[in-house]
Amino acid sequence: MGDHRLAGPSVQAVHTSGRDQDMGVTERTTPRHSFQQDNDHDADDFDKWSDFDADDHSSGVRNDEAGNVSEHGRLLDPDQAAEAFELGDRVSLGNGASVFKDTEAENSPYPEVRAAVRNYDEDVPANTVRAWTIGLALTIAGASMNTLFSLRQPSISIGPLVAQIVAYPIGHTWARIMPAREFRTLGVRWSLNPGPFNIKEHAVITVMAGVSFSVAYSTDIILAQLVFYKQDFGILFQLLLTISTQSLGYGIAGVMRKFLVYPASMIWPENLVSVTLLNAMYEETSAPDHKVLGGSMPRLKWFGLVSVGSFFYFFIPGFFARFLSVFAFPTWFAPENAVVNQLFGGYIGSPLIPPWHAIANTLLGVVLFFICLSSVLHYSGAWYSPYLPMSDAGTYDNRGKAYNTTKILTPQFTLNEPAYKAYSPLFISTTFAVAYGLSFASISALLVHTWIHSRKTIWKQYRNSTTEKPDIHMKMMRKYPEAPDWWYLSLFLLMLAIGLYTVVAYPTNFAWWAFLLAIFISYAFSLPIGIIQAVTNTQIGLNVLTEFIYGYIQPGRPLGLMLFKTFGYVTMSQSLGFIADLKFGHYMKVPPRTMFMAQVVATTVSCFVQIAVLNLALGSIDNVCDIHQRDRFTCPGGRVFFSASIIWGLIGPARIFSPGRIYSGLFLFFVLGAVAPVAIYLWTRRWPSSPAKYLMAPVIFGGAGAIPPATPLNYFSWGIVGFVFQCWIKKRHFGWWSRLNFLTSCGLDLGLAFGTLVLFFAFTLHDIKPPQWWGNAIVEKTMDFQGTAIQALLPEGQTFGPATW
């Protein structure tokens, strides 16, 4: 699962950043989804993926016998029939593996899945002592290192991909040296060495690393409490809060399985990279394609070469020529021109994976809102923009300085209203304001879009989940007992009770009904956000929505706001992460009960590890979290969380967005988000062949959630590469794409990950500076880098903005 922490720029002790880094969406590595056979890859590259017009034959959507829309809806090419993928006769491959006679007919309807996932199952053990031992060892190591590194600025994170690579030699070494003796415990037979290290054990280890390497969101609450609010409720509170926030969503996942795991149309493309890598590690032979680059070598060798190349290349833009990493060349020639630096100054995921239709919708949103609308607003003087940066994630006062929250706080950390009225209202950059508006629009668009396009599919899946036609992977998974519903229900009720006790038994100033409201929000949004993520791999974030709601219903309670935000957002995010891992196990044919236990146990162990490491670090590192700490353990995540609690919990949205306030116009984005899906639907009804049928309103509004601090330039370079791989290469060289595209993406990511680790430990920790030459010096000389690209500089002592606030 992805990291749910804040990742915005670091905030000084007396300054604040009004937006968490994960404000809008979480972009993940994703492929597109079309229903095509291999010999039909030159077909239209966009997908029809909704179930509207189910009864309109002109729309091309097949109705089932009951008159309802097909399970696949418009996710699939309507010219293909799901019946083509019937279960064939099995033939044995030996070593416990089995396939079907007609591997073309008996395969997934999606080319991405066919390219990554095997259409057969191997009868090898997954729930072994070896898998649990290696998985828990990596869980402890990864969780402890990432927790410690998260306190440092710049921070570094070790991802699950590193664990997936490290587990390979460990597992095979274990298989060679450990005795094969069998034991019997409580009637269960087990062995330290059940045979060769296999792909299912490796999959279990990968899942355990995935759920545990991400630093818990609640650790930022704890840091804000201990360091900035000077509140200490004890280590039991910390453990209960962390365990409940990390695991409460897992119970919700049990309800969502029938909607988000079982249907073939719920692809969860983020999983395809890991699946491809695991299959490449364990395949003995692969079909060569001598006509394409790298087609004649084993896939694992290609992966190794790409990883090594990526590792060494990283040091060119990362250390020796840093101007290449922020290729904003217009600012090099005019480093002191404010307009040039505002327009061209410059965190996005791999462009080799997102589906091309998702990339196109995201780029459309960037052009419409961050190029056109933001430019019009900024250069017309809206929101006092001449005195502020155009694109920045910080917050400012009416003197153009970073907003100093200490001036409006009482010693009890409540809002000092006279001081606030004497100081300044809060200002943000133009793209930051637009980003808030787009986060509002994405929520309303998501609800309307889901109602229009997916309500029939959801209702049909709810009624007939056990009678729908399954794909091959669902058929093969039927031989494994499913984790019973009462497991999920028991986990949910237990975590609900722990969470409720935590917020009520301690002086959190957080009402019990607000806690239940946060859980309801997470539950209500899990399905619509999950559908979007399962298809486009873009997760619409709820953190801004939860801050917005709580800031209105219970203003003046910063700790309550942090808790509401965490339970309201992380519960949903953890639920979808659990579901994504279930789909990963579905693809790898890992028994569902093993998947359930592996995720729950690894998550719980990581909670204890993270709290222990956090408290040890706070107690043993001198001046930890001080902005001038010698080794840079300045706690950047805790600072951003603290600042956001001040902005939303004390100043509150009523003083920022309500009618008559500076940014009240952003409320119109709620209306825009609700109207856009309806307009797209009506347009496609009237002109079904128009390009509007490819538009996805939630992705248009929420796809570019990394702006700011990312810039449109980042997205354009991302989009160009995505077009080359996900559109041009996929159409013209489908054999290469299906064989090596995901491995190429994975190799680039691995090389980057190891290059970052080496750069951090070998250079950054030892304070070794990059070589001083034009290619490194020019980056730091631009107004964009220095944060001074402002058109109108105020004379000392003067202010801008409204006379009263």
Side-chain angles (χ1 to χ4, degrees):
M1 285 169 281
D3 191 345
H4 307 305
R5 290 178 60 82
L6 308 172
S10 61
V11 183
Q12 303 298 320
V14 295
H15 301 157
T16 180
S17 172
R19 174 179 180 248
D20 297 347
Q21 156 192 27
D22 52 7
M23 185 201 76
V25 299
T26 302
E27 180 64 43
R28 302 180 186 258
T29 53
T30 59
R32 61 180 287 276
H33 322 288
S34 60
F35 186 15
Q36 304 163 325
Q37 292 188 7
D38 288 355
N39 59 359
D40 192 34
H41 55 268
D42 286 325
D44 196 342
D45 215 43
F46 288 99
D47 305 295
K48 304 180 181 74
W49 66 280
S50 61
D51 67 10
F52 71 84
D53 284 343
D55 300 323
D56 184 357
H57 295 286
S58 65
S59 68
V61 180
R62 178 179 61 83
N63 288 358
D64 63 12
E65 295 177 359
N68 295 318
V69 67
S70 163
E71 168 209 347
H72 306 294
R74 294 182 63 172
L75 278 164
L76 309 181
D77 185 335
D79 295 329
Q80 301 289 340
E83 288 80 7
F85 300 91
E86 290 292 341
L87 188 62
D89 297 328
R90 287 184 181 271
V91 295
S92 175
L93 293 181
N95 298 324
S98 58
V99 296
F100 300 95
K101 286 183 179 179
D102 189 348
T103 57
E104 281 297 317
E106 188 57 43
N107 213 327
S108 169
Y110 298 93
E112 294 82 8
V113 179
R114 294 201 298 272
V117 184
R118 295 174 174 176
N119 64 339
Y120 60 89
D121 187 13
E122 295 185 57
D123 293 327
V124 294
N127 189 20
T128 66
V129 172
R130 178 169 55 202
W132 279 95
T133 304
I134 298 174
L136 288 176
L138 291 176
T139 292
I140 295 171
S144 57
M145 286 190 289
N146 282 343
T147 302
L148 180 62
F149 293 152
S150 71
L151 302 178
R152 195 179 187 279
Q153 177 69 21
S155 61
I156 190 171
S157 177
I158 299 174
L161 178 59
V162 176
Q164 187 173 351
I165 299 299
V166 170
Y168 186 80
I170 296 176
H172 286 282
T173 301
W174 180 302
R176 285 196 299 268
I177 67 175
M178 294 298 286
R181 177 184 172 188
E182 287 192 352
F183 301 88
R184 183 179 294 271
T185 304
L186 299 177
V188 178
R189 296 173 57 189
W190 59 276
S191 172
L192 289 174
N193 193 347
F197 186 60
N198 67 73
I199 193 170
K200 292 190 180 182
E201 291 177 293
H202 205 155
V204 170
I205 294 169
T206 300
V207 166
M208 295 176 75
V211 300
S212 59
F213 277 32
S214 299
V215 181
Y217 213 68
S218 62
T219 58
D220 282 332
I221 296 180
I222 297 168
L223 278 173
Q225 275 192 290
L226 296 177
V227 178
F228 302 109
Y229 284 115
K230 308 301 180 184
Q231 296 176 330
D232 188 357
F233 294 164
I235 196 167
L236 180 60
F237 169 82
Q238 300 172 18
L239 282 171
L240 295 178
L241 176 66
T242 303
I243 292 173
S244 59
T245 55
Q246 290 294 97
S247 300
L248 188 54
Y250 291 177
I252 297 176
V255 179
M256 301 297 168
R257 287 176 296 171
K258 64 175 66 177
F259 308 106
L260 299 176
V261 177
Y262 300 157
S265 52
M266 298 293 102
I267 291 179
W268 292 95
E270 65 183 291
N271 292 320
L272 299 181
V273 174
S274 294
V275 172
T276 302
L277 178 58
L278 283 175
N279 286 336
M281 285 177 167
Y282 291 89
E283 68 184 5
E284 296 182 0
T285 59
S286 60
D289 187 350
H290 301 284
K291 300 187 298 293
V292 299
L293 178 65
S296 59
M297 68 176 67
R299 294 202 302 166
L300 192 58
K301 182 178 179 180
W302 172 266
F303 167 75
L305 292 175
V306 172
S307 298
V308 171
S310 174
F311 172 82
F312 285 107
Y313 174 77
F314 167 77
F315 289 92
I316 299 176
F319 189 76
F320 295 107
R322 292 190 298 160
F323 74 100
L324 294 175
S325 67
V326 287
F327 201 67
F329 60 89
T331 67
W332 306 339
F333 304 110
E336 297 183 2
N337 184 297
V339 175
V340 170
N341 279 265
Q342 286 175 342
L343 292 176
F344 294 99
Y347 316 119
I348 311 170
S350 169
L352 275 68
I353 307 301
W356 168 238
H357 69 82
I359 294 175
N361 277 272
T362 299
L363 292 179
L364 178 61
V366 170
V367 171
L368 289 178
F369 297 108
F370 290 109
I371 296 296
C372 299
L373 179 61
S374 293
S375 296
V376 170
L377 291 172
H378 190 82
Y379 294 109
S380 66
W383 301 321
Y384 307 98
S385 56
Y387 305 98
L388 299 165
M390 184 177 185
S391 186
D392 182 285
T395 53
Y396 297 89
D397 61 20
N398 54 14
R399 294 167 179 80
K401 307 296 183 182
Y403 201 90
N404 189 342
T405 58
T406 61
K407 289 187 176 182
I408 62 172
L409 288 176
T410 67
Q412 294 75 36
F413 291 97
T414 59
L415 180 66
N416 186 332
E417 288 209 36
Y420 170 73
K421 293 182 179 297
Y423 176 40
S424 171
L426 183 139
F427 296 91
I428 54 180
S429 71
T430 305
T431 61
F432 200 177
V434 171
Y436 269 120
L438 291 176
S439 70
F440 300 155
S442 65
I443 294 298
S444 56
L446 175 70
L447 296 176
V448 177
H449 181 94
T450 303
W451 172 256
I452 292 175
H453 298 300
S454 300
R455 68 183 186 278
K456 294 178 181 178
T457 299
I458 293 171
W459 177 244
K460 180 171 181 279
Q461 193 71 18
Y462 176 76
R463 291 185 307 160
N464 302 316
S465 61
T466 59
T467 60
E468 280 191 345
K469 179 182 293 296
D471 72 339
I472 180 176
H473 303 294
M474 188 66 199
K475 292 173 183 176
M476 287 190 289
M477 286 297 290
R478 283 177 171 171
K479 74 177 185 180
Y480 300 112
E482 181 59 83
D485 290 340
W486 71 265
W487 285 17
Y488 289 95
L489 179 61
S490 300
L491 179 64
F492 176 77
L493 293 177
L494 176 61
M495 293 300 122
L496 186 70
I498 291 176
L500 185 60
Y501 172 81
T502 303
V503 301
V504 172
Y506 292 89
T508 60
N509 208 22
F510 186 48
W512 63 269
W513 57 267
F515 168 78
L516 296 179
L517 176 61
I519 303 304
F520 174 77
I521 291 173
S522 285
Y523 180 83
F525 278 94
S526 290
L527 183 56
I529 291 178
I531 291 173
I532 295 294
Q533 184 177 344
V535 175
T536 69
N537 217 43
T538 297
Q539 185 182 105
I540 307 297
L542 292 181
N543 46 337
V544 169
L545 178 67
T546 52
E547 289 173 327
F548 188 83
I549 292 174
Y550 192 81
Y552 271 107
I553 63 176
Q554 286 200 310
R557 301 186 182 188
L559 177 56
L561 180 130
M562 291 190 291
L563 292 170
F564 187 88
K565 173 183 174 181
T566 303
F567 281 108
Y569 166 52
V570 172
T571 300
M572 179 275 298
S573 184
Q574 290 290 94
S575 171
L576 297 183
F578 194 100
I579 289 170
D581 285 339
L582 289 179
K583 190 71 173 188
F584 174 76
H586 191 87
Y587 287 148
M588 299 305 302
K589 314 302 179 294
V590 177
R593 296 187 177 188
T594 300
M595 289 293 298
F596 178 92
M597 295 303 299
Q599 293 182 82
V600 172
V601 172
T603 300
T604 305
V605 170
S606 71
C607 291
F608 282 91
V609 171
Q610 290 182 34
I611 295 302
V613 171
L614 182 64
N615 282 273
L616 287 173
L618 293 178
S620 59
I621 299 177
D622 293 334
N623 300 319
V624 64
C625 295
D626 187 274
I627 195 63
H628 302 296
Q629 205 276 335
R630 179 186 59 190
D631 298 314
R632 301 181 185 177
F633 284 97
T634 58
C635 307
R639 288 181 181 280
V640 174
F641 220 91
F642 167 73
S643 300
S645 71
I646 297 297
I647 299 303
W648 291 95
L650 287 184
I651 297 178
R655 294 184 175 90
I656 302 174
F657 300 109
S658 290
R661 304 300 182 179
I662 297 173
Y663 298 101
S664 59
L666 294 177
F667 271 137
L668 294 176
F669 278 87
F670 279 114
V671 179
L672 177 63
V675 170
V678 178
I680 294 171
Y681 166 68
L682 294 176
W683 186 277
T684 54
R685 289 269 299 198
R686 178 64 179 84
W687 295 283
S689 299
S690 71
K693 63 187 177 183
Y694 308 133
L695 297 178
M696 302 165 62
V699 180
I700 294 174
F701 293 126
I707 301 177
T711 69
L713 190 65
N714 300 135
Y715 276 93
F716 289 147
S717 59
W718 170 80
I720 291 171
V721 176
F723 171 79
V724 170
F725 280 89
Q726 292 300 89
C727 185
W728 187 77
I729 290 180
K730 185 174 183 180
K731 283 183 175 181
R732 296 180 178 270
H733 304 284
F734 187 77
W736 184 95
W737 183 91
S738 63
R739 188 174 188 270
L740 297 174
N741 181 71
F742 295 153
L743 273 182
T744 302
S745 175
C746 194
L748 293 172
D749 288 342
L750 182 66
L752 174 64
F754 278 114
T756 303
L757 290 174
V758 172
L759 184 64
F760 180 80
F761 288 107
F763 295 91
T764 305
L765 283 183
H766 294 87
D767 202 25
I768 298 176
K769 304 295 184 183
Q772 293 302 307
W773 69 290
W774 178 87
N776 284 330
I778 190 61
V779 175
E780 300 180 2
K781 290 182 179 179
T782 64
M783 298 177 73
D784 173 58
F785 181 88
Q786 297 170 359
T788 58
I790 298 172
Q791 293 172 270
L793 296 176
L794 285 172
E796 192 67 30
Q798 292 190 15
T799 62
F800 65 90
T804 59
W805 52 89

